[in-house]
Amino acid sequence: MVLVLDTTPDAAVAAPSPAQPSLAGRGDEGLRAALTEIGIPEKQLRMRVEQLWSWLYVRGVTSFDDMTDVSKDIRRRLASAFTLTRPEIVSEQVSADGTRKWLLRLPRLGHEAAAPEIETVYIPESDRGTLCISSQVGCTLTCSFCHTGTQRLVRNLELEEIVGQILVARDRIGDWPGAEPPDDGGMLPIAERKITNIVLMGMGEPLYNFDNVRAAIEVAADGDGLAFSKRRITLSTSGVVPEIPRWGLEAGTMLAISLHAVTDKLRDELVPINRKYPIAELLEACRQYPGLSNARRITFEYVMLKGVNDSLADARALVRLLSGIPSKINLIPFNPWPGSRYECSDWEQIEKFADVVNRAGYASPVRTPRGRDILAACGQLKSESIKLRARDRVAVDGSVEEKPSS
Ligand code: SAH
Ligand code: SF4
């Protein structure tokens, strides 16, 4: 376990909104506005945006001084009005399995009494690295097995704050050209790029922050910048049915659906948005998802809750329900959190359930839990509201225990 930084809650309350806004994470429009503000003439804007874009998103620079093909005068004007600051790292934890979790503090918006905090998680494997990013501070939905769901929604993340999570992660793991990996022994993939995949599976319901998430995906997928293929970006939704076709048309990433139950009765309880958009409507939206094919399947996530949704009859109903939809099934062992009312299914039961799913033609359906020791696994993310603080975490034998502050 590594804790690189630790600041007190009081700092969050006191942190002023920055006088100079940051350009890090901005899209085309935001960069144009910045350049216009420092007096760059209209006819130069396109070329200047391209220059900035490349320094920000190919090189990952954190100082205007490094932008060597930008004139000194423009660099000076930029630096007098803006910064390249990323969301502030409050703490970084590295799990025994190499998973990293960052608690990030965002700049306070005008009306906010305290600076909101979010979590971002990096999951390395031998040949790939997945970054799990948040789309909201907290969540308005209240899925009964999800830790984030117990935190009230504070607000939607801005475009810059969504892209900022990618920048912070690339900074910390040395995933820019010529950068060094951190010297802390944490595992990294052998691949040239250390972050190969992005999943919108952190805090929040991304389709409830549609415009900012879509704009962030446009920045992330731009071939002249961060250059993540949309086939390696997955948005996970609890089932905001009306937004699913729009997301497919306008953003066109891979899609994951938090299904978790095969009957409306149970899904109403586990994923309450089901009362508004029941299973049949959700699956119909999936069938119509633009670009759906055997090569571009929808992932159905199914959390394994002991004695709740894990019978073999449930498994058979699940494969029946999904027949005809090009899909993958992802069985997620339930990740417990302090105060959760469920237990994870027994491993033997998960295997039997997976067998039924396997026999129906779905390969390797069980998601290995990652980063459980630092509460970084699916559904364990939560920041401010129960006041889990870096200073309250105690390292024990390389793992971390959390206790609420008084
Ligand atoms: N709000 C979106 C994305 C964030 S949650 C959604 O619900 O899809 C990412 C995934 O983690 C979802 O499939 C969610 O159902 C699952 N999840 C939530 N809590 C969990 C827990 N305690 N254990 C395992 N998976 C969980
Ligand atoms: Fe929100 Fe997703 Fe958690 Fe449900 S599972 S409470 S939608 S973050």
Side-chain angles (χ1 to χ4, degrees):
M1 198 280 310
V2 179
L3 206 58
V4 290
L5 250 165
D6 182 2
T7 50
T8 66
D10 305 340
V13 179
S17 291
Q20 293 188 196
S22 175
L23 299 187
R26 286 198 184 190
D28 189 85
E29 226 176 276
L31 293 179
R32 274 175 173 267
L35 289 163
T36 306
E37 202 179 310
I38 60 157
I40 302 295
E42 167 75 33
K43 60 179 185 326
Q44 278 186 26
L45 283 181
R46 192 162 156 210
M47 183 267 285
R48 296 292 178 201
V49 167
E50 278 170 15
Q51 277 181 322
L52 281 184
W53 197 266
S54 176
W55 287 113
L56 286 177
Y57 301 131
V58 177
R59 298 257 151 209
V61 299
T62 51
S63 159
F64 291 109
D65 287 340
D66 294 335
M67 300 183 171
T68 47
D69 64 354
V70 177
S71 76
K72 278 202 175 133
D73 172 51
I74 295 180
R75 275 190 258 161
R76 189 187 46 75
R77 279 192 269 161
L78 281 168
S80 64
F82 302 103
T83 69
L84 296 173
T85 312
R86 283 86 155 101
E88 178 194 350
I89 300 176
V90 179
S91 69
E92 175 183 74
Q93 293 168 267
V94 185
S95 155
D97 69 16
T99 301
R100 282 166 196 265
K101 178 168 85 166
W102 296 282
L103 178 65
L104 301 178
R105 182 175 298 151
L106 308 174
R108 198 151 47 90
L109 297 183
H111 60 281
E112 283 171 344
E117 291 172 355
I118 52 163
E119 293 182 323
T120 305
V121 177
Y122 173 66
I123 307 143
E125 289 167 76
S126 57
D127 59 344
R128 60 155 81 183
T130 302
L131 188 69
C132 176
I133 60 181
S134 294
S135 55
Q136 299 183 307
V137 184
C139 188
T140 45
L141 301 174
T142 51
C143 303
S144 53
F145 54 88
C146 175
H147 202 193
T148 311
T150 65
Q151 179 182 12
R152 69 181 175 82
L153 178 78
V154 179
R155 68 167 166 84
N156 279 338
L157 296 190
E158 302 287 335
L159 156 65
E160 295 78 6
E161 296 166 340
I162 303 170
V163 177
Q165 296 172 66
I166 306 174
L167 303 183
V168 165
R170 292 191 76 180
D171 292 346
R172 284 298 307 150
I173 58 180
D175 195 24
W176 297 110
E180 291 292 321
D183 187 16
D184 57 14
M187 173 206 169
L188 288 173
I190 315 279
E192 192 189 329
R193 285 182 62 168
K194 306 301 174 205
I195 303 175
T196 53
N197 295 57
I198 294 177
V199 292
L200 281 146
M201 294 186 186
M203 291 161 59
E205 169 47 60
L207 292 183
Y208 277 161
N209 186 14
F210 193 102
D211 291 343
N212 291 343
V213 173
R214 183 195 45 205
I217 293 312
E218 291 313 321
V219 174
D222 186 277
D224 296 321
L226 292 167
F228 287 93
S229 153
K230 285 192 178 175
R231 300 190 61 150
R232 289 175 172 267
I233 301 177
T234 303
L235 174 133
S236 173
T237 178
S238 56
V240 187
V241 168
E243 303 290 17
I244 291 176
R246 209 180 132 214
W247 180 262
L249 287 173
E250 295 182 22
T253 66
M254 305 302 280
L255 183 67
I257 301 284
S258 295
L259 188 62
H260 307 316
V262 292
T263 63
D264 282 323
K265 185 165 180 284
L266 181 58
R267 195 164 188 270
D268 281 353
E269 193 188 306
L270 299 180
V271 188
I273 197 178
N274 193 69
R275 293 182 202 144
K276 208 165 173 189
Y277 308 116
I279 293 176
E281 283 180 34
L282 176 60
L283 295 185
E284 190 47 33
C286 291
R287 281 193 190 88
Q288 307 294 332
Y289 191 66
L292 185 63
S293 69
N294 279 337
R296 295 191 75 216
R297 294 164 192 255
I298 293 179
T299 301
F300 288 90
E301 298 161 286
Y302 194 94
V303 64
M304 298 299 295
L305 303 171
K306 186 174 183 169
V308 175
N309 65 354
D310 64 349
S311 73
L312 299 189
D314 287 318
R316 288 188 287 269
L318 177 63
V319 294
R320 265 199 313 274
L321 207 55
L322 301 184
S323 77
I325 305 177
S327 46
K328 297 182 210 169
I329 295 177
N330 213 189
L331 304 178
I332 314 176
F334 170 65
N335 292 307
W337 38 272
S340 59
R341 62 174 127 131
Y342 299 104
E343 276 178 74
C344 181
S345 307
D346 295 331
W347 198 250
E348 205 176 286
Q349 186 62 17
I350 296 180
E351 283 186 338
K352 284 187 193 154
F353 195 107
D355 258 5
V356 174
V357 171
N358 255 315
R359 270 186 271 121
Y362 297 91
S364 30
V366 184
R367 184 186 293 176
T368 317
R370 298 290 302 267
R372 271 184 174 180
D373 54 347
I374 55 169
L375 283 190
C378 296
Q380 292 184 308
L381 305 185
K382 173 162 175 171
S383 57
E384 180 81 348
S385 69
I386 62 163
K387 303 206 185 317
L388 290 174
R389 291 288 172 185
R391 67 172 185 182
D392 300 318
R393 295 181 187 131
V394 184
V396 184
D397 299 335
S399 70
V400 175
E401 286 181 357
E402 307 214 15
K403 58 185 170 67
S405 61
S406 50

